Amino acid sequence: MVEELLTAVIAAGTGVALYVGAAARVVKQYERGLVFRFGRLRDEIRGPGFTVIVPVVDRLHKVNMQIVTLPVPAQEGITRDNVTVRVDAVVYFKVVDPANAIVAVEDYRFAVSQMAQTSLRSIIGKSDLDDLLSNREMLNQGLELMIDSPAVGWGVQIDRVEIKDVSLPETMKRSMARQAEADRERRARVINADAELQASHKLAEAAEVMSEQPAALQLRLLQTVVAVAAEKNSTLVLPFPVELLRFLERAAPAAPAGHEDPATAGPATEGPGPAAVEDTPDAGPSLDAPPPDPAGLAPGEAPPAALGGPADGLYLDAPPPPPPDPDGPRG
């Protein structure tokens, strides 16, 4: 009798232990439990800690409530300004309604991933290349709204979406590099021109101050010579003093007003007359002019047979021609 009672107690304890082992469940702090009884979802959501279900009848499904980091594969598309790019992103989301996350969608992770890829392609086609490179905050917000709209019905909340990288073709990278280089060169030229303008104003003011004191220019010249002479590997050419040039210019006598070079003077008028005969007392004989003819002939003029008529009795000193030979020319 005692043995039968002991056996029954042991059997009952073993049954209870097996029942408790089959019915006991532990839900972690970051999880929530959904109980399905005969395939129907119970309204009660089991919180973290120890919980018990009916074995064979109930089935406990745990849902992770942590924020999930989902990388979006790189998507290739054409921007609005016809540039081919590859863009990848990352999505941060979490489950806020465990019942809808299990009942409303088969696999909420896969659903969010596909929606993120589709939305990313749509954003690429609606944006310019400059927006993808510089205005990512607005694109992230637009992408987040596009993914979050259908995800609300799945019990999922999109925390944030970030575009990670934008890959450009090599030709586009070289074109952008040339554009940036040209823009930097343009700014450098503008700055250089502005500096030249300011320097010209300062030089004009300095020239105005130096014009009041002529010696200041010579002092400035000497300072420049000292600065150049500091370089050991340069040849120094000392210019002629400016003040000495000015002194020589003031000391040079002025040329007489009536002086005229005989070589550059025009031809004299023919015929006797006081204007043609008269000469300045200071003018001497010119080396370039031909010597005067004692007969008074102009250069290149053939001498006449006689300067005067028979009444004058003036004949040339040249001998008369010989008489002709009566015998004819000799062979």
Side-chain angles (χ1 to χ4, degrees), residues 27-289:
V27 180
K28 297 180 181 180
Q29 180 67 33
Y30 54 85
E31 294 177 340
R32 297 295 182 269
L34 300 177
V35 178
F36 290 88
R37 177 166 295 178
F38 294 110
R40 185 180 181 85
L41 179 64
R42 300 291 300 270
D43 295 336
E44 182 184 1
I45 297 178
R46 306 295 175 88
F50 181 81
T51 184
V52 179
I53 61 174
V54 179
V56 183
V57 177
D58 295 343
R59 182 182 176 186
L60 181 65
H61 192 90
K62 300 177 183 179
V63 180
N64 192 339
M65 304 296 291
Q66 291 177 320
I67 295 179
V68 180
T69 303
L70 180 65
V72 181
Q75 303 298 314
E76 184 173 355
I78 300 177
T79 60
R80 191 167 56 183
D81 50 354
N82 299 326
V83 179
T84 303
V85 294
R86 289 177 59 88
V87 182
D88 56 351
V90 58
V91 180
Y92 301 91
F93 68 93
K94 64 180 179 179
V95 177
V96 293
D97 190 352
N100 288 336
I102 298 300
V103 177
V105 64
E106 180 181 2
D107 188 354
Y108 64 90
R109 290 175 179 264
F110 182 75
V112 172
S113 176
Q114 295 299 315
M115 180 57 63
Q117 296 179 31
T118 306
S119 302
L120 184 57
R121 292 194 196 97
S122 179
I123 284 293
I124 293 174
K126 294 179 182 180
S127 305
D128 295 332
L129 179 61
D130 294 339
D131 295 335
L132 289 175
L133 297 177
S134 60
N135 196 9
R136 293 189 181 183
E137 292 295 333
M138 185 181 66
L139 297 180
N140 293 337
Q141 294 177 3
L143 189 59
E144 180 180 348
L145 291 176
M146 294 179 65
I147 301 175
D148 189 60
S149 297
V152 172
W154 303 337
V156 176
Q157 178 184 355
I158 304 299
D159 188 67
R160 63 185 305 170
V161 181
E162 294 288 343
I163 295 177
K164 293 198 302 183
D165 188 22
V166 178
S167 300
L168 299 176
E170 293 297 330
T171 56
M172 180 58 62
K173 291 181 181 179
R174 289 193 294 267
S175 300
M176 295 177 65
R178 289 195 299 268
Q179 179 183 1
E181 183 179 358
D183 186 54
R184 288 193 296 268
E185 184 177 357
R186 179 185 62 84
R187 291 199 300 265
R189 290 183 178 180
V190 170
I191 294 174
N192 190 17
D194 191 12
E196 292 291 340
L197 178 61
Q198 296 179 6
S200 63
H201 290 319
K202 296 299 182 182
L203 288 175
E205 295 178 1
E208 183 179 357
V209 173
M210 288 183 179
S211 62
E212 299 177 358
Q213 296 293 334
L217 184 60
Q218 185 65 23
L219 293 177
R220 181 57 183 162
L221 176 61
L222 295 177
Q223 291 179 357
T224 305
V225 170
V226 172
V228 173
E231 298 293 335
K232 303 290 184 180
N233 55 354
S234 60
T235 302
L236 179 61
V237 179
L238 184 63
F240 203 71
V242 179
E243 293 299 326
L244 183 57
L245 291 178
R246 292 181 179 177
F247 174 76
L248 295 178
E249 182 181 357
R250 290 193 299 266
H259 178 72
E260 184 177 2
D261 191 359
T264 58
T269 57
E270 297 182 358
V277 178
E278 184 180 1
D279 194 3
T280 57
D282 296 338
S286 176
L287 297 178
D288 296 334

